[in-house]
């Protein structure tokens, strides 16, 4: 239990700005193994975002409450995944080769593809959340934030690292994770899904639609990255998280409207 708690704190420290206890310690291989708890960190981020949404909704109109909820998640993570999404849009938005795409990802400046992609991504998330009633938006945020981190973990299992491992900012994350890490990550998704099904059974069909669409997005990202880059990079994992999160929110909304 202590070992798993340590790995959770390592994951929390890596993915967010949240301070962790001083006694956690650090070993390079812990970061790689901590990927199993990325979905748990996503659950925490989703809980904070959902909490802000509920509280802000008591005072402000839905659009403002959604904006504050999204801002809370960005502040909590430091825009970590959004930055990766923008860099991936810049790198893969144009018709460039693999080496050029990898070089673009290392450029800290944002280009036209990145800016346009980020605006569309955030705009679609906001529009989707505004369209969801609060009783659906809260569980949707919890599940989407959890499962989208698991999507990134799955890519770390099925794809090789595409960049230069020596120059990787977080070298342990450039190593393919083990099957056990992926299974634990998926277990987090299963636990959250089961909890939501128990406490919000009327939302179960929408949750299932979100999970299916998220899985489709994960497979699509894996195939796209394998074809364009030959594997994943840190930025590509961030892009996968953002895309699957959006797809899950859209799937939730679409299922509710169809029903």
């Amino acid at each position: 239990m202590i070992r798993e708690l340590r790995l959770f704190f390592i994951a929390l420290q890596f993915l967010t700005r949240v301070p962790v206890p001083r006694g956690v310690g650090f070993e390079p291989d812990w970061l790689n193994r901590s990927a199993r708890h990325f979905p748990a960190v996503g659950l925490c981020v989703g809980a904070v975002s959902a909490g802000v949404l509920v509280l802000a909704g008591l005072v402000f109109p839905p659009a403002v409450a959604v904006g504050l909820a999204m801002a809370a998640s960005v502040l909590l993570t430091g825009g970590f995944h959004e930055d990766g999404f923008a860099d991936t849009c810049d790198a893969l938005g144009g018709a460039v080769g693999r080496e050029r795409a990898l070089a673009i990802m290392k450029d800290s400046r944002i280009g036209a593809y990145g800016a346009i992609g980020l605006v569309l991504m955030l705009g679609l998330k906001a529009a989707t959340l505004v369209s969801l009633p609060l009783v659906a938006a809260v569980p949707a945020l919890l599940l989407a934030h959890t499962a989208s981190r698991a999507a990134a973990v799955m890519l770390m299992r099925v794809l090789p690292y595409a960049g230069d491992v020596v120059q990787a900012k977080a070298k342990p994350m450039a190593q393919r994770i083990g099957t056990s890490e992926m299974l634990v990550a998926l277990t987090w998704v299963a636990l959250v899904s089961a909890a939501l099904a128990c406490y919000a059974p009327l939302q179960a069909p929408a949750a299932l639609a979100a999970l299916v669409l998220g899985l489709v997005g994960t497979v699509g990202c894996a195939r796209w990255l394998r074809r364009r880059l030959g594997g994943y990079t840190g930025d590509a994992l961030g892009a996968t998280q953002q895309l699957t999160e959006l797809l899950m929110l859209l799937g939730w909304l679409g299922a509710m409207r169809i029903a």
Side-chain angles (χ1 to χ4, degrees), residues 48-66:
V48 170
S49 183
V52 171
L53 179 63
V54 172
L55 293 176
L58 298 175
V59 181
F60 301 108
V64 176
V66 165

Side-chain angles (χ1 to χ4, degrees), residues 6-7 10 13 24-34 172:
R6 178 182 285 121
L7 291 178
I10 294 296
Q13 185 179 50
V24 170
F26 181 77
E27 294 291 339
D29 67 310
W30 291 357
L31 182 56
N32 181 276
R33 285 186 287 165
S34 75

Side-chain angles (χ1 to χ4, degrees), residues 196-212:
L196 293 178
C198 290
Y199 288 99
L202 295 178
Q203 299 293 325
L208 179 59
L211 286 169
V212 170

Side-chain angles (χ1 to χ4, degrees), residues 42-43 45-55 57 61-63 65-67 69-70 73 124-146 192 196 200 202-204 206-207 210 245-246 248-254 256:
L43 175 61
V45 174
V48 170
S49 183
V52 171
L53 179 63
V54 172
L55 293 176
V66 165
M70 291 177 60
S73 66
L124 282 170
K125 280 187 191 178
T128 304
L129 288 170
V130 168
S131 301
L132 284 170
L134 187 61
V135 69
V138 169
L141 280 170
L142 294 175
L143 186 58
H145 275 281
T146 302
V192 173
L196 293 178
L202 295 178
Q203 299 293 325
E245 180 187 335
L246 173 61
M248 291 187 70
L249 293 176
L250 289 171
W252 201 297
L253 177 60
M256 290 192 66

